[in-house]
Amino acid sequence: MKEEAWGWHGDQVLFEDGDFPCDDSSLLSDGSTPVARLRGDVTWRRPQEVSQSPTLFPENINLGHAKQGLLGDCWFLCACTVLLKNKHLLNKVLPPDQPQWGDSRYRGSFLFHFWQQGHWTEVTIDDRLPCVNSALCFSRCHSPTAFWVALLEKAYAKLHGSYELLWAGQVSEALVDLTGGLSERWNLGDAGSEEEPRTEQDSDRVRRLDLNLLYPMKDGCALSCSTHSSPGGATELDQYHALTVMEWLDVRMVSGGQVRLLRIRNPWGRCCWGGAWIGSSGAGWNSVEPSCAADLQGKAAEGEFWLDESEFLSHFHDVTVGYPISDEMHLKSIYTGNLLTHTHQLAGRWIKGHSAGGCRNCSSYGNNPKFWLKVSEAGEVLVSLLQHRKQRRKEQYTQMPGKDSKNTKHQHYQAVALHMWKVEKKRFNLSRMLNKPPCASTHCHAYEREVVLHAQLEPAHYLLIPSTFLAGAEAHFLIRVFSSSPTSLSALKSPAPSLPSTTDGEWEIVCFQGSWVMGTNAGGSRNFPSHWQNPCFPFTVCDDTAATSEVNVRITLHQTSHDTDLYPIGFHIYKVAAGGSEVALPKDEEPVASCVPHCYTQDVSLACCLPPGAYAIVPSTYQPDLSGNFTLTLARRVHRKVVKSQERLGRAIQEVSHISVMQS
């Protein structure tokens, strides 16, 4: 973190943000977009240097909508519209009562909140804004005196790393970042293509939207549309341009029928449409009553235009829907209108060689992270899988406008999906269950930041498995559950190794608790000289000195870290000298048994036969100086005569395959 700086403006000391300085490092990433042309021409000015009477919001809220500048972030500006519709959301993102220009408390800084990976994150900026020729060069409000959009854009650019990193993106991502809710993308393409075969590999196919589904929720949900090429009526629309659906309604025609009209806002702030309902001269207006036509035409502000449903479906390629959010910040379902008052979230991770099992085509699918969803009462449930964006470095970021959007998404995200199975019994066979069709799933693996599963569920336990399409693909993710009825969400831990069978003898079980402490006894694997500093646990096999037969031993090492913070662990067993108060490890001798290589897993175990004698177990992480807690479980076979008894405190369960136990 760089030091904060303070600059003088008149008789005031104003904040200057050292973490997002007013230079090319905040403006550019790798210079691969047209923003690079501004290099050397940008000056940074505070709002009072741009307008004589700056304010955050204009008195006429219609003039507070965003107008796009020289930055290709229409996707973000479309999402900003939702804030003007929901005051509670606006106050969450831009906390009210911050000192503005002319206030004695004003110090040139503003605080914003963005939802990131499950939590609201604070972003503080100074109010120096990029300008060319004394005018804002990026986004601004339609009112020249309002600056909330320009400041919000700067805070979002700081969150991403630079203004240039906002060039091109997904409306759905910005909607979630600004609301903490859910959004889904729907295709408006030719329904005839539905007949094409669908496969798991068809990872970019999106579902097709029937506008009638959304009509009951049209006033509450955020709606954006985008075009991937220049349609005939929209001569100025460029590739991948996003627009906002401001309003849509069914209008009675003179003929007695109805026509569905949609009012669209172009972030460019100018009309770019030439359809049947353009301005007041479009031929479509002749089909409705003159008074109705005049009323609707008067609603179209600067940069807005009307079109009917057939034009909408034929000229736009997809729609992004942001779920309505109540004043209490609860989600509303776009499918039913139900209020989803119960929410849960858990983080997870796909780790190569451990939990990145790939799709259902892969034999390793069952290795993926698993979660229990307990539904207590019948109700509507939405489960989302949100993956973290791949780490980006400015010099590695390349996203030229007009490139294939598929490649852009593949660069930042894995293809992911979510499947759900209803579990009928407390104990079940995982492999057998996974061979059955899931009761619900996302439509396919998709290169999206977030995919959403929707279902009406009856009371039961359900197993959720998030997966990447390719085995070994690594990423962090967040599972979120929104439901109308009480639910609970928990991670299914890796199953503990089954204890030795008790039907053919007795076993003595001992547990040791231990810790690796950085700088003290976290010695790492045998590749490091510090290995011998690791904790050491002595044990004996058969105290009878006359015994010669080998003894069955099973050792399990369990690390207590969360699934997302696992270390690669393993252990070695050494033969040591009997007797003595201290154990001397034979550093020049090989271990008699080992549980290696070190694995990213909760538990590692080893079953072996050892001759009578003295031994020591040395558990370790692969790298030295990694702190953590662990449990060692040692089971030794005890040879005793079986004593027949009438007591039955329980019965042994023979596990012949992978068995998972449901945690209530």
Side-chain angles (χ1 to χ4, degrees), residues 66-69 140 142 235-238 241 243 264-273 278 301-305:
K67 188 173 184 179
Q68 188 175 350
R140 54 198 180 278
H142 280 263
T235 55
E236 288 185 319
L237 292 183
D238 199 0
H241 186 53
L243 301 92
I264 311 295
R265 176 183 290 275
N266 178 12
W268 289 342
R270 61 184 184 273
C271 182
C272 58
W273 195 257
I278 186 67
E302 181 184 2
E304 295 182 353
F305 55 89

Side-chain angles (χ1 to χ4, degrees), residues 2-8 13-19 21 46 107-109 125-126 128:
K2 298 179 182 177
E3 293 187 3
E4 297 178 355
W6 299 85
W8 287 89
V13 181
L14 301 183
F15 172 63
E16 295 180 357
D17 186 4
D19 289 327
R46 299 188 189 268
R107 289 297 181 269
S109 65
I125 58 168
D126 63 38
R128 296 177 293 174

Side-chain angles (χ1 to χ4, degrees), residues 55-359:
T55 184
L56 281 175
F57 300 95
E59 293 184 5
N60 182 354
I61 198 63
N62 287 328
L63 298 178
H65 285 288
K67 188 173 184 179
Q68 188 175 350
L70 301 177
L71 186 61
D73 61 348
C74 55
W75 58 282
F76 171 65
L77 303 182
C78 286
C80 291
T81 304
V82 72
L83 299 181
L84 292 182
K85 290 183 176 181
N86 190 317
K87 187 176 181 180
H88 294 273
L89 279 177
L90 179 61
N91 289 341
K92 184 69 177 179
V93 174
L94 176 55
D97 301 325
Q98 297 191 55
Q100 302 181 37
W101 312 274
D103 189 320
S104 60
R105 299 175 300 147
Y106 164 74
R107 289 297 181 269
S109 65
F110 285 89
L111 171 67
F112 293 87
H113 291 144
F114 298 102
W115 189 90
Q116 293 284 286
Q117 301 168 1
H119 306 282
W120 287 93
T121 301
E122 288 189 358
V123 176
T124 300
I125 58 168
D126 63 38
D127 60 356
R128 296 177 293 174
L129 300 170
C131 299
V132 173
N133 297 327
S134 302
L136 297 180
C137 60
F138 296 145
S139 302
R140 54 198 180 278
C141 294
H142 280 263
S143 169
T145 63
F147 288 88
W148 80 277
V149 168
L151 293 169
L152 179 65
E153 182 184 56
K154 178 173 182 177
Y156 203 54
K158 178 179 178 179
L159 184 72
H160 280 67
S162 74
Y163 276 94
E164 190 175 29
L165 289 177
L166 299 187
W167 190 287
Q170 297 290 327
V171 179
S172 57
E173 296 182 21
L175 278 171
V176 173
D177 291 346
L178 292 175
T179 67
L182 285 180
S183 70
E184 293 192 63
R185 190 167 62 90
W186 303 74
N187 200 352
L188 294 178
D190 183 6
S193 60
E194 275 294 327
E195 299 176 0
E196 298 172 3
R198 306 180 83 172
T199 66
E200 285 272 41
Q201 288 88 341
D202 191 6
S203 58
D204 281 327
R205 187 183 296 279
V206 291
R207 296 157 299 164
R208 306 192 182 281
L209 172 67
D210 179 0
L211 286 177
N212 291 319
L213 168 69
L214 294 178
Y215 195 80
M217 303 299 297
K218 64 184 177 65
D219 295 328
C221 63
L223 203 61
S224 174
C225 53
S226 63
T227 175
H228 296 181
S229 59
S230 298
T235 55
E236 288 185 319
L237 292 183
D238 199 0
Q239 287 188 326
Y240 315 119
H241 186 53
L243 301 92
T244 304
V245 179
M246 302 298 296
E247 176 185 15
W248 50 313
L249 64 164
D250 292 336
V251 177
R252 182 170 296 278
M253 304 173 69
V254 175
S255 62
Q258 283 190 335
V259 60
R260 180 166 291 172
L261 297 180
L262 300 94
R263 179 163 54 94
I264 311 295
R265 176 183 290 275
N266 178 12
W268 289 342
R270 61 184 184 273
C271 182
C272 58
W273 195 257
W277 305 85
I278 186 67
S280 59
S281 59
W285 297 115
N286 297 329
S287 63
V288 300
E289 292 289 346
S291 59
C292 177
D295 179 58
L296 296 178
Q297 291 165 8
K299 285 186 174 183
E302 181 184 2
E304 295 182 353
F305 55 89
W306 288 95
L307 73 168
D308 59 41
E309 183 175 4
S310 63
E311 291 178 318
F312 182 77
L313 295 176
S314 62
H315 290 300
F316 290 97
H317 290 78
D318 55 61
V319 161
T320 298
V321 183
Y323 280 65
I325 297 179
S326 70
D327 292 346
E328 293 77 26
M329 302 299 285
H330 293 309
L331 232 59
K332 290 183 180 178
S333 169
I334 62 174
Y335 300 93
T336 64
N338 289 337
L339 204 60
L340 308 178
T341 56
H342 301 271
T343 61
H344 309 279
Q345 66 180 33
L346 282 176
R349 183 181 176 190
W350 293 292
I351 302 172
K352 185 176 182 179
H354 168 53
S355 60
C359 69

Side-chain angles (χ1 to χ4, degrees), residues 268-583:
W268 289 342
R270 61 184 184 273
C271 182
C272 58
W273 195 257
W277 305 85
I278 186 67
S280 59
S281 59
W285 297 115
N286 297 329
S287 63
V288 300
E289 292 289 346
S291 59
C292 177
D295 179 58
L296 296 178
Q297 291 165 8
K299 285 186 174 183
E302 181 184 2
E304 295 182 353
F305 55 89
W306 288 95
L307 73 168
D308 59 41
E309 183 175 4
S310 63
E311 291 178 318
F312 182 77
L313 295 176
S314 62
H315 290 300
F316 290 97
H317 290 78
D318 55 61
V319 161
T320 298
V321 183
Y323 280 65
I325 297 179
S326 70
D327 292 346
E328 293 77 26
M329 302 299 285
H330 293 309
L331 232 59
K332 290 183 180 178
S333 169
I334 62 174
Y335 300 93
T336 64
N338 289 337
L339 204 60
L340 308 178
T341 56
H342 301 271
T343 61
H344 309 279
Q345 66 180 33
L346 282 176
R349 183 181 176 190
W350 293 292
I351 302 172
K352 185 176 182 179
H354 168 53
S355 60
C359 69
R360 296 178 69 205
N361 298 341
C362 305
S363 59
S364 56
Y365 177 77
N367 295 335
N368 282 299
K370 291 170 279 290
F371 297 84
W372 284 125
L373 175 63
K374 180 182 178 182
V375 178
S376 302
E377 300 173 11
E380 184 177 9
V381 178
L382 287 165
V383 186
S384 91
L385 168 61
L386 186 150
Q387 61 176 310
H388 295 193
R389 192 180 180 109
K390 295 176 185 177
Q391 289 288 354
R392 296 173 300 172
R393 296 179 182 177
K394 290 185 177 183
E395 65 272 13
Q396 293 179 341
Y397 184 91
T398 303
Q399 184 171 301
M400 291 295 290
K403 272 197 173 185
D404 186 352
S405 62
K406 183 187 299 185
N407 293 337
T408 297
K409 287 186 293 181
H410 291 195
Q411 180 184 359
H412 303 308
Y413 299 117
Q414 306 289 356
V416 297
L418 186 63
H419 293 78
M420 175 192 292
W421 284 265
K422 183 180 178 182
V423 180
E424 303 290 349
K425 298 180 180 179
K426 186 80 172 180
R427 289 180 177 269
F428 65 95
N429 184 292
L430 179 65
S431 300
R432 190 177 305 157
M433 186 190 69
L434 295 183
N435 285 329
K436 299 178 181 179
C439 65
S441 67
T442 54
H443 62 288
C444 65
H445 282 78
Y447 286 96
E448 302 284 351
R449 186 175 77 166
E450 186 170 26
V451 294
V452 180
L453 179 156
H454 171 256
Q456 296 284 348
L457 299 179
E458 59 187 34
H461 282 82
Y462 297 86
L463 184 68
L464 292 168
I465 300 186
S467 63
T468 58
F469 181 71
L470 296 176
E474 295 192 314
H476 289 79
F477 62 83
L478 185 72
I479 293 284
R480 297 194 287 164
V481 175
F482 304 84
S483 59
S484 60
S485 59
T487 56
S488 64
L489 179 68
S490 60
L492 175 63
K493 302 297 183 182
S494 301
S498 57
L499 293 177
S501 172
T502 60
T503 59
D504 59 348
E506 296 183 25
W507 291 78
E508 180 185 51
I509 301 175
V510 181
C511 290
F512 305 96
Q513 302 292 330
S515 300
W516 295 292
V517 180
M518 182 186 304
T520 303
N521 66 345
S525 67
R526 295 181 73 213
N527 295 340
F528 300 93
S530 57
H531 171 72
W532 306 105
Q533 299 173 8
N534 282 297
C536 176
F537 298 89
F539 70 98
T540 58
V541 172
C542 189
D543 292 330
D544 185 356
T545 55
T548 58
S549 61
E550 293 186 336
V551 175
N552 293 338
V553 175
R554 187 180 184 94
I555 300 169
T556 300
L557 171 63
H558 173 90
Q559 59 176 315
T560 55
S561 301
H562 189 273
D563 282 350
T564 58
D565 300 311
L566 297 176
Y567 298 137
I569 57 172
F571 59 84
H572 298 280
I573 304 173
Y574 296 93
K575 186 77 184 295
V576 296
S581 57
E582 294 187 2
V583 176

Side-chain angles (χ1 to χ4, degrees), residues 526 531-532 571-576 585-596 606 608 610 615-618:
R526 295 181 73 213
H531 171 72
W532 306 105
F571 59 84
H572 298 280
I573 304 173
Y574 296 93
K575 186 77 184 295
V576 296
L585 293 172
K587 299 181 181 181
D588 297 330
E589 297 182 14
E590 293 293 316
V592 295
S594 300
C595 185
V596 291
L606 174 70
C608 59
L610 296 177
Y615 298 89
I617 308 168
V618 178

